[in-house]
Amino acid sequence: MKELLPLPPPPPLVHDQQATVRALFDRNVVPTYGRFDLAFSHGAGSYLWDVHGKRYLDLGGGIAVCSLGHAHPEITEALVAQSRKLVHISNLYYHEPQGRLAEALVNHLAPGKMFFANSGAEANEGLYKLARKFGHDEGRFEVLTAVNSFHGRTLGGIAATGQDKVKKGFEPIIPGFRHVPFNDLAAMRAALSPATAAILIEGIQGEIGVTPATPEYLLGLRQLCDEHRVLLFIDGVQCGHFRSGRFQSFQRILEGIPGAEGFLPDGLSMAKSLGGGFPIGAFWVRQEAHGVPLCDLLGPGTHGTTYGGTPLGCAVALKVLEIIDRDHLADNARHTGAFLRDGLDHLVQRFPGVLKNARGLGFMLAFELQNREAIPGFASSDKVASLQMVNRLHAAGLLTIPSGTQRVRLLPALNLGRAQAEEGLAIIERVLQSVR
Ligand SMILES: *Cc1c(COP(=O)(O)O)cnc(C)c1O
């Protein structure tokens, strides 16, 4: 009897790639994220294509990560070139890319040193440890953070984050963190205790929907910290890396403010845009603070991470930095960001029944919607307004990031062009027309 050759199964009549990918997730991926029903296959610059071939303008930037957009040829080249030489060797040894990236970042900020990690939460963890080491011998350990802040999802991160929703179900929360209303200097002064070692704030609060620190707040915190021998930390994970129009948001916020020359925090965390999509985080420590050589306080054996600052990650981050400088992308974030912000302000004027306000600066922007019940197009669904808006924008070919119940963030690539900004505004306008 002749052996039958196994035949491949016939192709399904309709093959829904989106449903297939989604089913893989549903079966195999821990469902911690409320994902949108979109699956992407590739991108180029500020455009992404889903598995059906539909094109989207990406003004979300992978949540402020894709600083040079998608599939930037020079980043691809840097990845390939470095991976042919060396991907990982561990932090038992020296290698050039980490040293060079550290120098480049220090040169962009101020004298101090860098520690490399893999994410924003991990970068912040290093700052909490720095605060504890700094205060240890005096029995100080406490880190004060802001109400509505966001600092990551590790146990330390949720303790530091000033939002109940991230803590719920994970008690007991790590002790040593307290939250104080943002942009309220008097509240911070009142909250200081003999146990306080550091204050940590975002230069521009991101996750909650874009709220910049005021210049008075930043300067006041610096003075408060100097008076009380407390460290001042800035979480620059989302607002940093040129998104504001300057390397760090505090530099932009304090531009032209009398008395702000020489303002520096004592520590600063970075991630998101730093690697342009390659996972890398870092924190900078100021050379000296309160008479202590702060940048050498975390000595050998006190802190570490296996993957931190690999040759591959550092080579990519260096290339990102080089391109941002060469192509003047901080200026682009400032000017194209101002154009977007003007456009949003204009839409707020034209659609007061749908939009409450526009907020933010550079390429860290948001608009706030009216209550769901007040918006005719949204009233029939009980989904929150931010999600309904983002879904409508998806249908119209635009990617944005929802924040809470009523805000929508724009965190585009730093090389977003004027024409794409115009295209984005036109899509938002069309959707506003359809729901008002
Ligand atoms: C995203 C974010 C973090 C956490 O970064 P991960 O890389 O997700 O750990 C921390 N702080 C701020 C301000 C962020 O926006």
Side-chain angles (χ1 to χ4, degrees), residues 119-122 124 150-153 202 207 235 237-238 271-272:
S119 68
E122 196 193 358
N124 286 331
F150 183 77
H151 299 296
R153 294 289 199 145
E202 292 157 88
E207 223 247 355
D235 180 338
V237 169
Q238 188 167 154
K272 292 203 164 95

Side-chain angles (χ1 to χ4, degrees), residues 54-57 389-399 423-424 426-432 434:
K54 177 176 166 181
R55 194 183 82 164
Y56 297 78
L57 175 64
M389 185 68 189
V390 168
N391 278 323
R392 298 249 187 176
L393 292 169
H394 287 167
L398 180 66
L399 300 177
E423 182 186 343
I427 295 173
I428 296 169
E429 179 179 349
R430 243 188 301 134
V431 168
L432 292 172
S434 74

Side-chain angles (χ1 to χ4, degrees), residues 142 144 178 180-181 184-194 196 199 224 228:
E142 192 177 57
L144 301 180
R178 275 189 298 130
V180 182
D184 185 340
L185 195 58
M188 190 62 88
R189 183 178 289 114
L192 285 175
S193 86
T196 306
I199 292 172
L224 204 58
H228 292 86

Side-chain angles (χ1 to χ4, degrees), residues 58-69 204 206 210 236-249 252 271-274 276 324 329-338 340 360-365 409-416:
D58 183 9
L59 295 187
I63 320 185
V65 166
C66 305
S67 40
L68 298 176
I204 304 170
V210 185
V237 169
Q238 188 167 154
C239 61
H241 225 60
F242 308 96
R243 186 155 293 283
S244 66
R246 288 287 295 272
F247 178 49
Q248 293 300 326
S249 62
R252 175 76 201 268
K272 292 203 164 95
S273 284
L274 177 61
I324 290 171
L329 297 183
D331 290 342
N332 186 57
R334 178 186 296 255
H335 296 122
T336 310
L340 269 175
L361 50 115
F363 276 161
M364 191 157 173
L365 300 167
R409 271 177 293 172
L410 309 181
L411 303 163
L414 303 178
N415 56 2
L416 182 85

